PDB file of all heavy atoms in Angstrom:
ATOM      1  N   VAL V1288     102.090 113.558  60.784  1.00  0.00           N
ATOM      2  CA  VAL V1288     102.763 113.581  62.091  1.00  0.00           C
ATOM      3  C   VAL V1288     101.748 113.816  63.212  1.00  0.00           C
ATOM      4  O   VAL V1288     101.806 113.172  64.265  1.00  0.00           O
ATOM      5  CB  VAL V1288     103.883 114.649  62.118  1.00  0.00           C
ATOM      6  CG1 VAL V1288     104.394 114.879  63.521  1.00  0.00           C
ATOM      7  CG2 VAL V1288     105.012 114.258  61.180  1.00  0.00           C
ATOM      8  N   LEU V1289     100.808 114.718  63.000  1.00  0.00           N
ATOM      9  CA  LEU V1289      99.782 114.982  64.010  1.00  0.00           C
ATOM     10  C   LEU V1289      98.909 113.753  64.244  1.00  0.00           C
ATOM     11  O   LEU V1289      98.552 113.446  65.385  1.00  0.00           O
ATOM     12  CB  LEU V1289      98.921 116.171  63.607  1.00  0.00           C
ATOM     13  CG  LEU V1289      99.574 117.547  63.747  1.00  0.00           C
ATOM     14  CD1 LEU V1289      98.665 118.625  63.184  1.00  0.00           C
ATOM     15  CD2 LEU V1289      99.916 117.835  65.191  1.00  0.00           C
ATOM     16  N   MET V1290      98.565 113.042  63.186  1.00  0.00           N
ATOM     17  CA  MET V1290      97.750 111.833  63.332  1.00  0.00           C
ATOM     18  C   MET V1290      98.503 110.761  64.109  1.00  0.00           C
ATOM     19  O   MET V1290      97.942 110.120  64.997  1.00  0.00           O
ATOM     20  CB  MET V1290      97.323 111.310  61.956  1.00  0.00           C
ATOM     21  CG  MET V1290      96.265 112.164  61.297  1.00  0.00           C
ATOM     22  SD  MET V1290      95.827 111.612  59.633  1.00  0.00           S
ATOM     23  CE  MET V1290      95.318 109.957  59.925  1.00  0.00           C
ATOM     24  N   ILE V1291      99.769 110.567  63.801  1.00  0.00           N
ATOM     25  CA  ILE V1291     100.580 109.572  64.518  1.00  0.00           C
ATOM     26  C   ILE V1291     100.711 109.959  65.983  1.00  0.00           C
ATOM     27  O   ILE V1291     100.585 109.109  66.865  1.00  0.00           O
ATOM     28  CB  ILE V1291     101.963 109.416  63.857  1.00  0.00           C
ATOM     29  CG1 ILE V1291     101.802 108.716  62.509  1.00  0.00           C
ATOM     30  CG2 ILE V1291     102.920 108.643  64.748  1.00  0.00           C
ATOM     31  CD1 ILE V1291     103.079 108.604  61.711  1.00  0.00           C
ATOM     32  N   THR V1292     100.927 111.230  66.248  1.00  0.00           N
ATOM     33  CA  THR V1292     101.033 111.694  67.635  1.00  0.00           C
ATOM     34  C   THR V1292      99.728 111.462  68.386  1.00  0.00           C
ATOM     35  O   THR V1292      99.736 110.987  69.525  1.00  0.00           O
ATOM     36  CB  THR V1292     101.399 113.189  67.663  1.00  0.00           C
ATOM     37  OG1 THR V1292     102.614 113.385  66.949  1.00  0.00           O
ATOM     38  CG2 THR V1292     101.546 113.693  69.089  1.00  0.00           C
ATOM     39  N   LEU V1293      98.611 111.784  67.759  1.00  0.00           N
ATOM     40  CA  LEU V1293      97.307 111.588  68.399  1.00  0.00           C
ATOM     41  C   LEU V1293      97.053 110.121  68.696  1.00  0.00           C
ATOM     42  O   LEU V1293      96.616 109.772  69.801  1.00  0.00           O
ATOM     43  CB  LEU V1293      96.196 112.149  67.512  1.00  0.00           C
ATOM     44  CG  LEU V1293      94.773 111.996  68.047  1.00  0.00           C
ATOM     45  CD1 LEU V1293      94.616 112.772  69.341  1.00  0.00           C
ATOM     46  CD2 LEU V1293      93.780 112.474  67.018  1.00  0.00           C
ATOM     47  N   VAL V1294      97.342 109.253  67.765  1.00  0.00           N
ATOM     48  CA  VAL V1294      97.149 107.813  67.979  1.00  0.00           C
ATOM     49  C   VAL V1294      98.068 107.319  69.091  1.00  0.00           C
ATOM     50  O   VAL V1294      97.653 106.552  69.968  1.00  0.00           O
ATOM     51  CB  VAL V1294      97.394 107.025  66.664  1.00  0.00           C
ATOM     52  CG1 VAL V1294      97.489 105.537  66.923  1.00  0.00           C
ATOM     53  CG2 VAL V1294      96.288 107.321  65.666  1.00  0.00           C
ATOM     54  N   SER V1295      99.311 107.755  69.109  1.00  0.00           N
ATOM     55  CA  SER V1295     100.264 107.332  70.144  1.00  0.00           C
ATOM     56  C   SER V1295      99.810 107.765  71.529  1.00  0.00           C
ATOM     57  O   SER V1295      99.853 106.989  72.486  1.00  0.00           O
ATOM     58  CB  SER V1295     101.654 107.901  69.860  1.00  0.00           C
ATOM     59  OG  SER V1295     102.136 107.432  68.637  1.00  0.00           O
ATOM     60  N   VAL V1296      99.379 109.016  71.651  1.00  0.00           N
ATOM     61  CA  VAL V1296      98.918 109.526  72.946  1.00  0.00           C
ATOM     62  C   VAL V1296      97.672 108.775  73.396  1.00  0.00           C
ATOM     63  O   VAL V1296      97.534 108.415  74.566  1.00  0.00           O
ATOM     64  CB  VAL V1296      98.667 111.052  72.870  1.00  0.00           C
ATOM     65  CG1 VAL V1296      97.919 111.550  74.090  1.00  0.00           C
ATOM     66  CG2 VAL V1296      99.977 111.792  72.696  1.00  0.00           C
ATOM     67  N   THR V1297      96.756 108.507  72.485  1.00  0.00           N
ATOM     68  CA  THR V1297      95.539 107.777  72.819  1.00  0.00           C
ATOM     69  C   THR V1297      95.852 106.362  73.291  1.00  0.00           C
ATOM     70  O   THR V1297      95.314 105.900  74.296  1.00  0.00           O
ATOM     71  CB  THR V1297      94.583 107.725  71.608  1.00  0.00           C
ATOM     72  OG1 THR V1297      94.299 109.059  71.197  1.00  0.00           O
ATOM     73  CG2 THR V1297      93.301 107.000  71.951  1.00  0.00           C
ATOM     74  N   LEU V1298      96.736 105.673  72.590  1.00  0.00           N
ATOM     75  CA  LEU V1298      97.110 104.317  73.000  1.00  0.00           C
ATOM     76  C   LEU V1298      97.816 104.320  74.349  1.00  0.00           C
ATOM     77  O   LEU V1298      97.586 103.451  75.173  1.00  0.00           O
ATOM     78  CB  LEU V1298      97.996 103.662  71.937  1.00  0.00           C
ATOM     79  CG  LEU V1298      97.285 103.269  70.647  1.00  0.00           C
ATOM     80  CD1 LEU V1298      98.295 102.764  69.627  1.00  0.00           C
ATOM     81  CD2 LEU V1298      96.219 102.235  70.899  1.00  0.00           C
ATOM     82  N   TYR V1299      98.667 105.304  74.593  1.00  0.00           N
ATOM     83  CA  TYR V1299      99.351 105.393  75.880  1.00  0.00           C
ATOM     84  C   TYR V1299      98.345 105.637  76.999  1.00  0.00           C
ATOM     85  O   TYR V1299      98.420 105.017  78.060  1.00  0.00           O
ATOM     86  CB  TYR V1299     100.408 106.498  75.862  1.00  0.00           C
ATOM     87  CG  TYR V1299     101.082 106.674  77.191  1.00  0.00           C
ATOM     88  CD1 TYR V1299     102.048 105.763  77.610  1.00  0.00           C
ATOM     89  CD2 TYR V1299     100.735 107.712  78.035  1.00  0.00           C
ATOM     90  CE1 TYR V1299     102.660 105.898  78.845  1.00  0.00           C
ATOM     91  CE2 TYR V1299     101.346 107.856  79.266  1.00  0.00           C
ATOM     92  CZ  TYR V1299     102.306 106.949  79.669  1.00  0.00           C
ATOM     93  OH  TYR V1299     102.901 107.084  80.888  1.00  0.00           O
ATOM     94  N   ALA V1300      97.382 106.506  76.767  1.00  0.00           N
ATOM     95  CA  ALA V1300      96.376 106.814  77.793  1.00  0.00           C
ATOM     96  C   ALA V1300      95.535 105.593  78.121  1.00  0.00           C
ATOM     97  O   ALA V1300      95.127 105.396  79.258  1.00  0.00           O
ATOM     98  CB  ALA V1300      95.494 107.964  77.334  1.00  0.00           C
ATOM     99  N   CYS V1301      95.274 104.762  77.133  1.00  0.00           N
ATOM    100  CA  CYS V1301      94.481 103.557  77.378  1.00  0.00           C
ATOM    101  C   CYS V1301      95.225 102.552  78.234  1.00  0.00           C
ATOM    102  O   CYS V1301      94.626 101.740  78.916  1.00  0.00           O
ATOM    103  CB  CYS V1301      94.088 102.897  76.050  1.00  0.00           C
ATOM    104  SG  CYS V1301      92.889 103.849  75.124  1.00  0.00           S
ATOM    105  N   GLN V1302      96.540 102.588  78.212  1.00  0.00           N
ATOM    106  CA  GLN V1302      97.344 101.647  78.975  1.00  0.00           C
ATOM    107  C   GLN V1302      97.687 102.159  80.375  1.00  0.00           C
ATOM    108  O   GLN V1302      98.248 101.434  81.170  1.00  0.00           O
ATOM    109  CB  GLN V1302      98.654 101.338  78.225  1.00  0.00           C
ATOM    110  CG  GLN V1302      98.445 100.519  76.985  1.00  0.00           C
ATOM    111  CD  GLN V1302      97.940  99.119  77.300  1.00  0.00           C
ATOM    112  OE1 GLN V1302      98.242  98.555  78.334  1.00  0.00           O
ATOM    113  NE2 GLN V1302      97.151  98.570  76.408  1.00  0.00           N
ATOM    114  N   SER V1303      97.378 103.421  80.675  1.00  0.00           N
ATOM    115  CA  SER V1303      97.730 103.945  81.989  1.00  0.00           C
ATOM    116  C   SER V1303      96.878 103.257  83.057  1.00  0.00           C
ATOM    117  O   SER V1303      95.722 102.953  82.846  1.00  0.00           O
ATOM    118  CB  SER V1303      97.547 105.456  82.042  1.00  0.00           C
ATOM    119  OG  SER V1303      96.199 105.792  81.903  1.00  0.00           O
ATOM    120  N   VAL V1304      97.492 103.025  84.180  1.00  0.00           N
ATOM    121  CA  VAL V1304      96.844 102.310  85.278  1.00  0.00           C
ATOM    122  C   VAL V1304      96.559 103.313  86.392  1.00  0.00           C
ATOM    123  O   VAL V1304      97.461 103.994  86.856  1.00  0.00           O
ATOM    124  CB  VAL V1304      97.746 101.165  85.790  1.00  0.00           C
ATOM    125  CG1 VAL V1304      97.112 100.471  86.965  1.00  0.00           C
ATOM    126  CG2 VAL V1304      98.046 100.194  84.667  1.00  0.00           C
ATOM    127  N   LYS V1305      95.302 103.379  86.793  1.00  0.00           N
ATOM    128  CA  LYS V1305      94.911 104.299  87.851  1.00  0.00           C
ATOM    129  C   LYS V1305      94.546 103.509  89.102  1.00  0.00           C
ATOM    130  O   LYS V1305      93.901 102.470  89.013  1.00  0.00           O
ATOM    131  CB  LYS V1305      93.722 105.139  87.401  1.00  0.00           C
ATOM    132  CG  LYS V1305      94.057 106.037  86.240  1.00  0.00           C
ATOM    133  CD  LYS V1305      92.870 106.847  85.818  1.00  0.00           C
ATOM    134  CE  LYS V1305      93.248 107.683  84.613  1.00  0.00           C
ATOM    135  NZ  LYS V1305      92.120 108.383  84.053  1.00  0.00           N
ATOM    136  N   PRO V1306      94.931 104.016  90.268  1.00  0.00           N
ATOM    137  CA  PRO V1306      94.532 103.336  91.510  1.00  0.00           C
ATOM    138  C   PRO V1306      93.033 103.458  91.744  1.00  0.00           C
ATOM    139  O   PRO V1306      92.368 104.335  91.196  1.00  0.00           O
ATOM    140  CB  PRO V1306      95.323 104.079  92.591  1.00  0.00           C
ATOM    141  CG  PRO V1306      95.719 105.366  91.990  1.00  0.00           C
ATOM    142  CD  PRO V1306      95.754 105.191  90.506  1.00  0.00           C
ATOM    143  N   LEU V1307      92.508 102.550  92.563  1.00  0.00           N
ATOM    144  CA  LEU V1307      91.086 102.581  92.906  1.00  0.00           C
ATOM    145  C   LEU V1307      90.796 103.802  93.765  1.00  0.00           C
ATOM    146  O   LEU V1307      91.600 104.187  94.618  1.00  0.00           O
ATOM    147  CB  LEU V1307      90.714 101.301  93.655  1.00  0.00           C
ATOM    148  CG  LEU V1307      90.899 100.004  92.866  1.00  0.00           C
ATOM    149  CD1 LEU V1307      90.693  98.807  93.776  1.00  0.00           C
ATOM    150  CD2 LEU V1307      89.949  99.954  91.694  1.00  0.00           C
ATOM    151  N   GLU V1308      89.644 104.403  93.558  1.00  0.00           N
ATOM    152  CA  GLU V1308      89.300 105.624  94.285  1.00  0.00           C
ATOM    153  C   GLU V1308      88.812 105.357  95.702  1.00  0.00           C
ATOM    154  O   GLU V1308      89.123 106.089  96.616  1.00  0.00           O
ATOM    155  CB  GLU V1308      88.256 106.420  93.500  1.00  0.00           C
ATOM    156  CG  GLU V1308      88.829 107.026  92.243  1.00  0.00           C
ATOM    157  CD  GLU V1308      87.822 107.885  91.518  1.00  0.00           C
ATOM    158  OE1 GLU V1308      86.846 108.348  92.150  1.00  0.00           O
ATOM    159  OE2 GLU V1308      88.017 108.105  90.313  1.00  0.00           O
ATOM    160  N   ASN V1309      87.998 104.330  95.898  1.00  0.00           N
ATOM    161  CA  ASN V1309      87.466 104.030  97.226  1.00  0.00           C
ATOM    162  C   ASN V1309      87.559 102.525  97.471  1.00  0.00           C
ATOM    163  O   ASN V1309      86.544 101.827  97.436  1.00  0.00           O
ATOM    164  CB  ASN V1309      86.019 104.524  97.332  1.00  0.00           C
ATOM    165  CG  ASN V1309      85.482 104.379  98.730  1.00  0.00           C
ATOM    166  OD1 ASN V1309      86.234 104.265  99.679  1.00  0.00           O
ATOM    167  ND2 ASN V1309      84.168 104.365  98.857  1.00  0.00           N
ATOM    168  N   PRO V1310      88.757 102.008  97.753  1.00  0.00           N
ATOM    169  CA  PRO V1310      88.932 100.555  97.825  1.00  0.00           C
ATOM    170  C   PRO V1310      88.389  99.881  99.082  1.00  0.00           C
ATOM    171  O   PRO V1310      88.212  98.678  99.091  1.00  0.00           O
ATOM    172  CB  PRO V1310      90.449 100.394  97.747  1.00  0.00           C
ATOM    173  CG  PRO V1310      90.976 101.652  98.338  1.00  0.00           C
ATOM    174  CD  PRO V1310      89.995 102.721  97.935  1.00  0.00           C
ATOM    175  N   GLU V1311      88.142 100.617 100.149  1.00  0.00           N
ATOM    176  CA  GLU V1311      87.673 100.072 101.428  1.00  0.00           C
ATOM    177  C   GLU V1311      88.568  98.929 101.932  1.00  0.00           C
ATOM    178  O   GLU V1311      88.109  97.805 102.143  1.00  0.00           O
ATOM    179  CB  GLU V1311      86.231  99.589 101.317  1.00  0.00           C
ATOM    180  CG  GLU V1311      85.255 100.672 100.926  1.00  0.00           C
ATOM    181  CD  GLU V1311      83.839 100.163 100.797  1.00  0.00           C
ATOM    182  OE1 GLU V1311      83.628  99.167 100.082  1.00  0.00           O
ATOM    183  OE2 GLU V1311      82.954 100.770 101.420  1.00  0.00           O
ATOM    184  N   PRO V1312      89.842  99.181 102.138  1.00  0.00           N
ATOM    185  CA  PRO V1312      90.776  98.126 102.547  1.00  0.00           C
ATOM    186  C   PRO V1312      90.432  97.476 103.882  1.00  0.00           C
ATOM    187  O   PRO V1312      90.865  96.352 104.149  1.00  0.00           O
ATOM    188  CB  PRO V1312      92.124  98.838 102.609  1.00  0.00           C
ATOM    189  CG  PRO V1312      91.793 100.274 102.783  1.00  0.00           C
ATOM    190  CD  PRO V1312      90.489 100.487 102.078  1.00  0.00           C
ATOM    191  N   GLU V1313      89.637  98.125 104.711  1.00  0.00           N
ATOM    192  CA  GLU V1313      89.253  97.534 106.002  1.00  0.00           C
ATOM    193  C   GLU V1313      88.389  96.285 105.827  1.00  0.00           C
ATOM    194  O   GLU V1313      88.235  95.503 106.763  1.00  0.00           O
ATOM    195  CB  GLU V1313      88.546  98.575 106.881  1.00  0.00           C
ATOM    196  CG  GLU V1313      87.227  99.067 106.356  1.00  0.00           C
ATOM    197  CD  GLU V1313      87.318 100.184 105.313  1.00  0.00           C
ATOM    198  OE1 GLU V1313      88.429 100.583 104.922  1.00  0.00           O
ATOM    199  OE2 GLU V1313      86.254 100.649 104.886  1.00  0.00           O
ATOM    200  N   LEU V1314      87.827  96.090 104.638  1.00  0.00           N
ATOM    201  CA  LEU V1314      86.998  94.906 104.358  1.00  0.00           C
ATOM    202  C   LEU V1314      87.821  93.722 103.855  1.00  0.00           C
ATOM    203  O   LEU V1314      87.265  92.673 103.536  1.00  0.00           O
ATOM    204  CB  LEU V1314      85.921  95.246 103.328  1.00  0.00           C
ATOM    205  CG  LEU V1314      84.957  96.370 103.698  1.00  0.00           C
ATOM    206  CD1 LEU V1314      84.001  96.654 102.553  1.00  0.00           C
ATOM    207  CD2 LEU V1314      84.198  96.018 104.969  1.00  0.00           C
ATOM    208  N   PHE V1315      89.147  93.884 103.780  1.00  0.00           N
ATOM    209  CA  PHE V1315      90.024  92.873 103.208  1.00  0.00           C
ATOM    210  C   PHE V1315      91.074  92.433 104.222  1.00  0.00           C
ATOM    211  O   PHE V1315      91.388  93.151 105.157  1.00  0.00           O
ATOM    212  CB  PHE V1315      90.730  93.439 101.969  1.00  0.00           C
ATOM    213  CG  PHE V1315      89.794  93.731 100.823  1.00  0.00           C
ATOM    214  CD1 PHE V1315      89.012  94.876 100.826  1.00  0.00           C
ATOM    215  CD2 PHE V1315      89.699  92.870  99.751  1.00  0.00           C
ATOM    216  CE1 PHE V1315      88.150  95.157  99.779  1.00  0.00           C
ATOM    217  CE2 PHE V1315      88.848  93.140  98.700  1.00  0.00           C
ATOM    218  CZ  PHE V1315      88.076  94.281  98.717  1.00  0.00           C
ATOM    219  N   SER V1316      91.615  91.239 104.006  1.00  0.00           N
ATOM    220  CA  SER V1316      92.704  90.746 104.853  1.00  0.00           C
ATOM    221  C   SER V1316      93.822  90.211 103.952  1.00  0.00           C
ATOM    222  O   SER V1316      93.620  89.951 102.764  1.00  0.00           O
ATOM    223  CB  SER V1316      92.201  89.657 105.800  1.00  0.00           C
ATOM    224  OG  SER V1316      91.668  88.574 105.061  1.00  0.00           O
TER     225      SER V1316
END
């Protein structure tokens, strides 16, 4: 159960989407 939980959490973390930290939107239109 611990192994399955660890694998599930790891796979979920790999799929998480994080916003860009310094996108500089003023350079885009």
Side-chain angles (χ1 to χ4, degrees):
V1288 169
L1289 286 174
M1290 287 177 57
I1291 290 175
T1292 303
L1293 179 63
V1294 168
S1295 299
V1296 168
T1297 303
L1298 288 174
Y1299 177 76
C1301 290
Q1302 290 294 329
S1303 65
V1304 177
K1305 296 180 182 174
L1307 298 172
E1308 290 184 22
N1309 186 20
E1311 300 179 308
E1313 65 277 3
L1314 301 177
F1315 294 78
S1316 59

